[in-house]
Amino acid sequence: MKSSIIISSILALFVMAGAKAQTGVYVNAGDLQKNNATIDGRPAAGIGNVRLRGGFNASQEFTVVHGGTTTKYAKTKVYGFRDASNISYRFYANTSYKIAEQGNVFIYTREEHIAQSKGYTTETRYFFSNGPEGRILPLTVGNLKNEFRANEKFTDLMDSYFTNNNVAEYDNIHKIFKVNYVFNKAKL
């Protein structure tokens, strides 16, 4: 019995390792929320070998290559994309942001190169939006208070939970970013 469980577990790992995540395009925020990535308007699932080029650079378009077909998309005409690692991104102001959490407060990250005296270092910067279609702003207490100023209970709770140094903190107990935990507390 024990050996059959071990063998089943090993087989499941091989199957998962061989399975490829489906890359695709989110035409709008609704597609992201429904996990409905498409290519040329067709569901991305089952399309197979898909590559994305230019999604992270400053160009105004990106290319999806699948089979023998290459499709160009204007970043201003689509919401975002899901890469081969099953990570979703949103385009905003010709920049791609990794979607770290989809909550009342959408949390995004972006790797940025910071110049130093010798070379550069890469730092993760945190951003947010008010819902899936709100403007993307740096994740600071001041920006949160300004963006959610109509939600007085949330803005009041921020003072007791955050400083600008910990506003991007992840709550390992509740498995969400602390800012969404506080937002949910404000709804109670």
Side-chain angles (χ1 to χ4, degrees), residues 9-104:
S9 299
I10 291 170
L11 287 174
L13 287 173
F14 279 117
V15 169
M16 287 190 304
K20 292 185 178 181
Q22 296 299 320
T23 300
V25 175
Y26 299 118
V27 176
N28 54 46
D31 285 347
L32 168 74
Q33 292 176 309
K34 294 176 197 164
N35 199 25
N36 183 31
T38 60
I39 303 208
D40 288 334
R42 297 176 296 153
I47 286 180
N49 186 18
V50 177
R51 289 186 327 231
L52 179 82
R53 296 190 305 225
F56 298 102
N57 64 28
S59 71
Q60 295 181 5
E61 57 185 30
F62 66 103
T63 305
V64 174
V65 180
H66 60 94
T69 307
T70 300
T71 306
K72 287 188 177 187
Y73 294 91
K75 289 179 181 176
T76 57
K77 301 289 183 192
V78 297
Y79 181 82
F81 67 95
R82 182 175 57 221
D83 71 7
S85 299
N86 207 26
I87 297 171
S88 293
Y89 296 83
R90 177 182 170 193
F91 293 125
Y92 182 79
N94 205 35
T95 303
S96 58
Y97 294 86
K98 179 181 175 182
I99 301 170
E101 184 167 277
Q102 298 177 49
N104 290 296

Side-chain angles (χ1 to χ4, degrees), residues 152-162 182-183 185-186:
E152 289 181 34
K153 190 169 183 184
F154 177 52
T155 57
D156 288 346
L157 281 173
M158 277 192 265
D159 290 330
S160 59
Y161 279 89
F162 299 116
V182 173
F183 191 97
K185 243 179 134 53

